[in-house]
Amino acid sequence: PHYDDVTRDLNNSRNNSDMRDVRTVNKKIADIFDSSNFVYKSSVKITTRDRVISKTIVGRRGNYLLTMDNEAIDINEILDINTL
């Protein structure tokens, strides 16, 4: 393959991996709060474009997840979320 083709393919792969599926993230968040394991908090791993963090979420207000340590995480920034 030509160098430019390989570079273009690599850039396309990076761009696709950075894209977030809004429906999937919102479904995962809904599933966490609807789970029988969720009493008033849930430990989760949140992946954003810049970092991966572990947090204990206690609720949702508007477009933000609220954490035990009083942090509001913008759901638009979340690429993936999973329970721990």
Side-chain angles (χ1 to χ4, degrees):
H2 190 269
Y3 175 78
D4 289 336
D5 293 334
V6 172
T7 302
R8 186 174 27 256
D9 289 343
L10 283 173
N11 287 334
N12 286 340
S13 294
R14 278 192 209 111
N15 289 339
N16 288 338
S17 68
D18 286 344
M19 292 175 61
R20 84 189 257 281
D21 185 342
V22 175
R23 290 171 302 204
T24 301
V25 169
N26 283 321
K27 171 101 173 75
K28 286 183 171 186
I29 291 170
D31 289 348
I32 290 168
F33 288 115
D34 291 342
S35 168
S36 60
N37 295 329
F38 183 84
V39 177
Y40 73 95
K41 62 182 180 177
S42 185
S43 296
V44 295
K45 179 177 80 170
I46 298 172
T47 304
T48 67
R49 182 175 288 216
D50 302 325
R51 60 190 178 146
V52 176
I53 53 174
S54 295
K55 290 287 181 178
T56 300
I57 57 172
V58 295
R60 178 179 183 165
R61 172 164 263 178
N63 209 44
Y64 292 89
L65 291 179
L66 307 175
T67 70
M68 279 288 277
D69 54 349
N70 295 320
E71 184 177 352
I73 300 171
D74 187 347
I75 293 172
N76 290 326
E77 299 292 319
I78 297 174
L79 299 176
D80 196 19
I81 184 170
N82 295 293
T83 56
L84 294 177

